[in-house]
Amino acid sequence: MKFLTFYKSTEILSMLKFLKIFFAVCFIFSCTKQSNELPKDVKVSHPNLILTQKSVSEIKSNLGSIPLFDKTLAAAKREVDLEISKGIRVPIPKDMAGGYTHTQHKLNYASMQKAGVLFQLLGDEKYAIYIRDMLLEYAKMFPKLDRHPQIRSYARGKLFWQCLNDSNWLVFTSQAYDCIYDWLPKEQTEYLNKTLFKPYANFLSIETPQYFNRVHNHSTWGNVAVGMIGLVMDDDDLVNSALYGLKKEEVDLTAKDNDGGFIFDKEGKAGFFANLDSPFSPDGFYTEGPYYQRYAMYPFLIFAEALQNKKPELKIFEYKNGVLIKAVDALLNLTDADGEFFPLNDGQKGMSYYTSSLVSAVDIAYYYGAQKPELLSIAKKQNKVQLDATGLSVALGLKEGKEKPFIKKSIELTDGSKGDEGGIGILRHQKGDETLALVMKYTGQGLSHGHYDKLSFSFYENGDEVLQDYGLSRFVNVEQKNGGGYLKENKTFAKHTIAHNTIVQNETSHFKYKYAVASKNHSEKYLFDVSNPAFQVVSATEENAYIETKFHRSMIMVKDESIEKPFIIDIFKVNSNKKNQYDLPFYYFGQIISSSFNYNSPKTLSVLGNSNGYQHLWKEGAGIANSESIQFTWLDNKRFYTLTSATNKNDEVILARIGANDPKFNLRKDPALIIRKKNVKNTIYASIIESHGTYDPVKEVASNAYSNFSKIKVLKDNTNYSAIKIYFKKGKEKLLILSNSDNSKNKKHTLKIDTKEYNWFGSYYYN
Amino acid sequence: MKFLTFYKSTEILSMLKFLKIFFAVCFIFSCTKQSNELPKDVKVSHPNLILTQKSVSEIKSNLGSIPLFDKTLAAAKREVDLEISKGIRVPIPKDMAGGYTHTQHKLNYASMQKAGVLFQLLGDEKYAIYIRDMLLEYAKMFPKLDRHPQIRSYARGKLFWQCLNDSNWLVFTSQAYDCIYDWLPKEQTEYLNKTLFKPYANFLSIETPQYFNRVHNHSTWGNVAVGMIGLVMDDDDLVNSALYGLKKEEVDLTAKDNDGGFIFDKEGKAGFFANLDSPFSPDGFYTEGPYYQRYAMYPFLIFAEALQNKKPELKIFEYKNGVLIKAVDALLNLTDADGEFFPLNDGQKGMSYYTSSLVSAVDIAYYYGAQKPELLSIAKKQNKVQLDATGLSVALGLKEGKEKPFIKKSIELTDGSKGDEGGIGILRHQKGDETLALVMKYTGQGLSHGHYDKLSFSFYENGDEVLQDYGLSRFVNVEQKNGGGYLKENKTFAKHTIAHNTIVQNETSHFKYKYAVASKNHSEKYLFDVSNPAFQVVSATEENAYIETKFHRSMIMVKDESIEKPFIIDIFKVNSNKKNQYDLPFYYFGQIISSSFNYNSPKTLSVLGNSNGYQHLWKEGAGIANSESIQFTWLDNKRFYTLTSATNKNDEVILARIGANDPKFNLRKDPALIIRKKNVKNTIYASIIESHGTYDPVKEVASNAYSNFSKIKVLKDNTNYSAIKIYFKKGKEKLLILSNSDNSKNKKHTLKIDTKEYNWFGSYYYN
């Protein structure tokens, strides 16, 4: 079969027509996958990357009897058959994300990857032909391509406006290529390797070091793209670059990207291992946040699977105490009741564990981890599997009815490569289908996608946001909105502190919004104790967001037997050496039902401030607390919520709304209540957040439309202790004392309030 | 059993304890409903109102084998048992809607009505005792009650702040009373009749004529309350008042209520028949709109059922050609895909056919109508039935699997007692679960709950509002919001023309917002033709909203084979004798994606105007069209929508948002696009409204994010013809010509545009 020597790409196509017929004939007569008898100078027979000869054989013997796998395969077949019927479309790159050429190239790699699987599992050569013909089109085009004409990225790609998408292309296409590698004549693989794949890998790495050699989700994709194609071509140079990065001397360590992030890791580490070492905490939390973790999980895990298949000696799934498997568990815990990721840092709302990268992640974690039956219940919801050995094992597990519910419990996920740079604390309550979740953030900055929101929080009821984290300002892949890229308002609002439920001092964002400073710091966990389900505490401090100011926030989910649902006590303590203004926003949704304080209502709307995100807030109302405790009730999603907050009489209460200075209407016009304390050094915000009632528009009945509390009062607040009393409407009172300076469990504390002495052990008293 | 002579109410209770035991013993020995052998001076044995002796016997013989009936009965039993366990609570009236005493009295009548049914169907005397004890409490309290202390209503009640709620009480309580009437000793019925029920009926009628003697949903409740108790007590005077109203000489025909509505019908007609004659059109459309029709249906139908049982000679279900049954069908057609009523006029969003009054309505319409199997599918969704003969028949029908889907088709519902006062035109499209519905309003004013929005429309996709009717401004039964009553903003915004998707001339509402003028006028239907599913037309005119200005709006739902979903062509023609300013708003939802026109974006927000609802709109942006056609694309509910509209170059485009001058945050902060034409006499608005794409936040894919159209152009517009060309992006063009002055089907038309002559028959040309 060595009749085909090397030809120019322009001449190949006509020959291929003959070849097609020839191979088809071979195929009919041999009826096995091995119909192309290739020279045996390859180290291992393909496929050997994600699918292997062994797994293909296992899957084939099960086909037709593994419902979820069969279903996913049938769907893939429908999709690819449709694409094949449309013909090969490899347009000259031109458009931004969301535009035609972008979308088509994206569709191509997804179709090729599936076609590779279909070829291996169904044995129908039309899929191999489809991949081959498309690859030859790409090989013909690639050498002529300069960088993409859209000039918005710090690392412009070839097929796409940024290398990131080109890496996506290569990660998926490598898998397709692996599936037909042995089927292709050697001359053709040599041609493709030389003309398309090796140059593409070089382009993404040595020609774009500012993209490839970072610790960042972008670079992970770059590393994996280069690594995957390296594994397919048995090119150890590429695999080594992928695993360990480019050589130090080739790169400028001080360069920054267009987000203000460092282009290179401070220690000069790079490559897949560096991206695994540094952004992942030992708990599997990825410092950029769940939205980007979700995005990065696919390359991390698919490459790990490939490495496990081809280089099992690396024991990649045991690396860093099994962090890759833990990361999947962490990520599933970072979702609300609907499976949507908490939009910490840059996160687009609505992204959930139904995304295809999580299908892969769950299947790989199940197969290479401890076959946790809880993962099967997620896979069942996802209603599809990865079409390889991992998906087979999940489909078999489900067929055998092995799944157990994945119950999300209260959990702390540490941040930092060693787990000592703060973290995320999630307090949860579940009763039947009713869930509450409080998410408090006390992590490090989270690389360039991080937001400046130390000790911020968000609050969920069931799958609904109650007090929101704004998330990012972007419409991913909506071409009309800045080509689908980040919007200006992401930097001018969404990343700023005032866009979050945490304190802003003197209308300036944390770390003065300086990435270099923020990146060097992180909050410190003070306490995370969920041992008592009726009194779950998360508490953390932040000493660097502002010079000479210390924050200490404690959030407690309390289940009181007299009240249907748990409520949140939120104690935010501030100590400073100088007098400041403090703003604490609560970004609620829906309609205001009542407020205990009076406020003015301006005839014209002005902005709340001039910079640091304040320029994007309209001031819809403002008043003086004029009381030692205020209440604010709103109705959202047919539920009544109340914030009860201890105030000084001259505290200001501001009703704000996002949307000022937003000429393109990029921002959502969501409201916030801001409690402002002026001209104080030390202070404490003490609040109760409660979901207490419902409105039924069909029965027209408002149930429990009023708060269960009459007020909250700070009795004492000093360096060592904060004592807060909460007053139930039915007359009951509860005293909460927090030990501010000693979080040890066994320490004995004594505090006299008025004439009464309180004694307790540990970091809090509540009675 | 005549040992109980008449006692003061204070003395009765102690005796009742003895009586309880005595009756219980009787009951055990007799084991039938007839245990209290009463003197035979009553005309018919009770129950004979809603339940009858015959139906009770039929139901009892089926119990245990009629799943939906059994289930509803079990739920009623649980509810009532819970109430009985809490004890009798009859507090002195004090609170507004949503407050404790209001809610408790409401709960009481609902529980008593169910307890009556339980007593009859289950034979357990505890339910009779519960009703009796409660009635005696009411009888003790009633004579001492003055009108309710809350002074907000034009017709204050006794137990509630308005007579309306007192009538609710009496309508339900009459049914409970009927169920125990024969069980009670005659002295006790005489006592209750004399002390509680007759005075209550008199209070609601002759003592409150301004409430009782109107044509209004309030009065319907009043009439029925008096009629129901009249039937129970066999009091023909009360029944006659209920059916025909108070005598003319007793009332002041020029009085107005607190909504500006006439208190008395112009012709002085009143009572149940008047309320059936005048507000219902022959199609069963109720002129106040679906929200109040839903509210009025219960008294209309429950009284009709009672009349059918006790006075079958009235043939009430045949009255006005069977309008009561037709009304149920009309009401079901006035819902979106989720069963929620279109919020025309004063309507609170979220109210749906799941409400209990519609359960009754559907069951009664099924039983007394033609047993339409489509009604069974609604009953199945409602998942409960009325606990009487009608509910039995529905439960049996469902048990026998007789139901068919209730498919909502395009439909016109005429308004006016003779059906000649305009109407509602609904254009619909359904494909699988995907539905589009366009609702155009060209009715009369709709009594005092009417809004000033001639020729307005709303647009729905599936169960979601795309272009909204604002509905009312009220939080029904949310006590914090003005005691659950109408909010000031209902009059200052929601009822005004600018709150709707129709034209405002010179920033003044239709009929100068004068109820007396509006009530004398109605729009005229021009055309409703849905014979071609690919080109469905509704068209109507309005000549009185403004003096010397004529409106003619035509809305067409077009299904073009080249586009997935139908689009709407909206042609709004204006002719006036003088130059005016015209504003046409489109109240969209969600985020702006792109606009073809430039607009400024003010640094501070000001109101759009000073009165007529304009004072409640912030001007968020304004620009000049500067083109012969503009486009505006938004994203809502993960779908992309575009408005394409023909403009004159100097037309103004305003981006507005509700919420100015709203100190209590009563309004929703929803956005609108307003196209403003200044200083013109005659003009035409020609627009395309399309739902063209989707956004998937999990796949991060924007599909068909761009409009299918490049522009729309008015080629010709005169008294007789309007010719509009729409331009598809793919190059296709379509010409639409509307015959403005002749809507006959067979008329031949000829029009020359430029050099080409077009000939067609009927009211439009489209090709």
Side-chain angles (χ1 to χ4, degrees), chain B residues 715-716 723 735 737 751-758:
Chain B
L715 303 186
K716 201 156 201 153
L735 176 64
I737 309 175
L751 182 67
K752 202 169 177 181
I753 301 176
D754 295 333
T755 55
K756 200 174 163 189
E757 194 178 88
Y758 296 90

Side-chain angles (χ1 to χ4, degrees), chain A residues 274-399:
Chain A
N275 272 295
L276 203 43
D277 285 340
S278 165
F280 279 104
S281 82
D283 291 337
F285 177 75
Y286 187 71
T287 195
E288 296 191 40
Y291 178 75
Y292 277 98
Q293 179 164 358
R294 167 273 329 175
Y295 188 56
M297 280 324 283
Y298 183 76
F300 272 118
L301 288 170
I302 204 74
F303 191 44
E305 185 175 2
L307 289 170
Q308 188 66 21
N309 282 333
K310 281 204 100 153
K311 294 186 179 291
E313 67 277 13
L314 285 175
K315 296 187 178 173
I316 190 69
F317 284 107
E318 292 167 38
Y319 189 78
K320 201 173 167 178
N321 215 5
V323 73
L324 278 168
I325 304 296
K326 285 182 186 168
V328 177
D329 195 65
L331 197 43
L332 293 174
N333 271 293
L334 287 162
T335 60
D336 69 15
D338 294 337
E340 296 184 8
F341 299 114
F342 300 132
L344 302 164
N345 294 329
D346 283 342
Q348 181 164 280
K349 292 181 181 180
M351 178 55 73
S352 74
Y353 61 47
Y354 293 96
T355 188
S356 62
S357 68
L358 264 283
V359 173
S360 297
V362 165
D363 292 3
I364 292 172
Y366 180 77
Y367 184 80
Y368 291 106
Q371 284 86 55
K372 282 176 67 178
E374 290 82 3
L375 292 175
L376 293 179
S377 72
I378 304 288
K380 193 176 186 176
K381 285 188 184 177
Q382 291 171 333
N383 203 20
K384 54 185 137 178
V385 290
Q386 180 157 270
L387 295 170
D388 65 359
T390 69
L392 175 67
S393 72
V394 165
L396 283 171
L398 282 172
K399 187 189 169 191

